[in-house]
Amino acid sequence: MSNAQRRRRKVTLREVAEAASVSKATASLALSNNPRISEATRQRVLEAVDSLGYVYNQRAASLRTQRSYTIGLIIKDVSNPFNAELTSGAESQLADHDYSLVLATTDDDLDKQSRMVKTMLERDVDGLILSPVAHTRTESMQELNQFCPLVLLIPYYPELAADCVGMDDENGTARAVEHLIQLGHRRIAFVGGFPAQATRQRRLESYRDTLRRHNITFDPALCVASPVTRRGGYDAIHQLLSMPQPPSGAYCYSDVIAFGVMLGLRAAGMEAGKDFAVIGFDDVPEAALWHPSLTTVSADPRGLGENAAQLVLRRITAPDAPIRRVIMPSHLVVRDSTAAPVKGPR
């Protein structure tokens, strides 16, 4: 059959099965990645698909299996490189299992989150990965969990029977602050994040505890909340530098905020790693390329997305499996943006 003739009509699954010397049912199972089908058989079916130009009808498959083969991911801000890495990790993992990702953002707005969740459910997603905004009620997430498998990108809802994956905020923060203390800093700022964010609250608590362990007085004036943006960090560092006793270093809620702090320092005639110490949190790819390169807490955002995708796929295939809470390990990556205070403790 010529290519022109093949284009005039659709190749059927039966033809694929015949070309691969398997039954139609086996061909269908192979295309849906059913674990009962051997890899050798699956490859034979895929070769027949390629040679015949067969197009797998996902919509028809969804009708047969009552699945949409889509997973919803709702995050706060796609422009944040941490979230971009997380999304990439989730999408890659889902693609390996022939699932598609549907992405939505909330801008950290509770009403918008509700609308996005409703939209996802209307699209019949098979599962949902959610980074809940501040003030999200446990009851609303519990109700959502009854409609479809739910994985949270935050581990701070222990009373909620839902899978979750999160970062080791406490230990990561402690390592960052202790690094600054070991360098000789005593006036250490905590920069960024919104006060209502559970993640910020955990990191702030660890920051306070670490200072206390080293007999350093906690000064609330050194804790400046800000949007998780470069502009937020830029404005925060100018506020801190205007204090009668400014800090000599800053631990930042995220790498993005740290980038803003470093730009703000440069605008003030200072340089991170020489005149002021800066530490971020996330270790996005840009951190190693920034000048000076950013000391940061590595939290593996791509791995976070991969783990979230694995959890939601597991929940789809095993609805009654035990709840899993995965905490990603964190470690400090020391680069060029940290150094000892220029003239000793301030």
Side-chain angles (χ1 to χ4, degrees):
M1 182 185 298
S2 69
N3 287 337
Q5 289 174 317
R6 194 175 294 132
R7 280 195 297 269
R8 282 195 291 268
R9 70 172 185 85
K10 290 183 178 180
V11 177
T12 66
L13 183 60
R14 186 178 298 281
E15 289 174 298
V16 171
E18 290 173 354
S21 300
V22 298
S23 69
K24 183 179 176 182
T26 297
S28 178
L29 291 172
L31 291 175
S32 63
N33 283 331
N34 191 290
R36 290 158 44 197
I37 304 302
S38 70
E39 184 58 27
T41 299
R42 182 174 179 273
Q43 288 302 319
R44 202 160 71 246
V45 171
L46 291 177
E47 289 171 4
V49 165
D50 289 340
S51 64
L52 294 174
Y54 174 71
V55 177
Y56 186 53
N57 191 330
Q58 184 66 66
R59 184 178 181 184
S62 297
L63 290 173
R64 289 192 300 271
T65 63
Q66 297 300 303
R67 290 185 184 175
S68 66
Y69 292 92
T70 59
I71 300 297
L73 171 62
I74 301 179
I75 56 177
K76 297 170 186 175
D77 177 15
V78 76
S79 67
N80 187 325
F82 176 89
N83 288 332
E85 284 290 300
L86 185 153
T87 300
S88 179
E91 186 171 37
S92 175
Q93 189 66 218
L94 293 172
D96 287 344
H97 294 81
D98 292 330
Y99 274 79
S100 298
L101 184 70
V102 181
L103 178 65
T105 59
T106 63
D107 299 319
D108 216 17
D109 181 88
L110 193 58
D111 289 336
K112 187 176 180 183
Q113 176 177 277
S114 298
R115 294 196 303 272
M116 293 302 101
V117 167
K118 183 174 182 290
T119 298
M120 292 292 185
L121 295 179
E122 288 172 347
R123 294 190 62 150
D124 288 328
V125 294
D126 293 329
L128 187 60
I129 301 170
L130 173 66
S131 178
V133 306
H135 305 301
T136 300
R137 294 187 308 110
T138 301
E139 294 79 9
S140 64
M141 289 189 290
Q142 187 66 61
E143 183 179 356
L144 173 59
N145 199 24
Q146 295 173 359
F147 283 99
C148 73
L150 174 66
V151 172
L152 299 179
L153 292 172
I154 190 170
Y156 305 139
Y157 291 88
E159 69 278 16
L160 180 64
D163 298 311
C164 66
V165 58
M167 298 167 287
D168 190 349
D169 294 304
E170 290 90 344
N171 287 330
T173 296
R175 290 188 180 99
V177 177
E178 284 174 351
H179 176 63
L180 292 174
I181 293 171
Q182 289 166 6
L183 288 172
H185 296 274
R186 293 299 180 269
R187 295 280 291 169
I188 300 169
F190 182 102
V191 180
F194 294 109
Q197 289 174 319
T199 300
R200 183 183 189 272
Q201 291 169 1
R202 290 292 183 106
R203 294 180 191 175
L204 182 58
E205 182 179 352
S206 179
Y207 158 87
R208 238 185 346 245
D209 290 344
T210 305
L211 294 178
R212 190 178 299 117
R213 283 198 302 273
H214 291 271
N215 298 314
I216 298 174
T217 302
F218 169 70
D219 183 353
L222 292 176
C223 301
V224 180
S226 80
V228 186
T229 61
R230 285 174 173 80
R231 185 74 209 191
Y234 185 93
D235 291 340
I237 191 60
H238 281 293
Q239 177 180 333
L240 289 163
L241 292 176
S242 67
M243 296 175 64
Q245 287 186 287
S248 61
Y251 164 60
C252 302
Y253 176 81
S254 72
D255 287 351
V256 169
I257 291 172
F259 297 150
V261 166
M262 293 163 80
L263 291 172
L265 288 169
R266 193 165 297 162
M270 302 172 69
E271 193 70 21
K274 294 180 180 179
D275 309 300
F276 196 96
V278 180
I279 297 183
F281 196 114
D282 289 340
D283 197 21
V284 299
E286 192 179 356
L289 302 175
W290 199 265
H291 182 74
S293 58
L294 178 64
T295 296
T296 185
V297 177
S298 179
D300 189 13
R302 185 177 181 86
L304 194 73
E306 291 172 350
N307 272 276
Q310 290 169 6
L311 286 179
V312 77
L313 292 173
R314 168 180 173 267
R315 183 59 54 191
I316 289 169
T317 57
D320 298 322
I323 297 297
R324 288 195 61 190
R325 303 183 189 277
V326 178
I327 303 299
M328 303 286 290
S330 60
H331 64 277
L332 185 66
V333 180
V334 179
R335 297 194 179 104
D336 298 330
S337 65
T338 48
V342 176
K343 296 179 181 178
R346 297 188 182 188

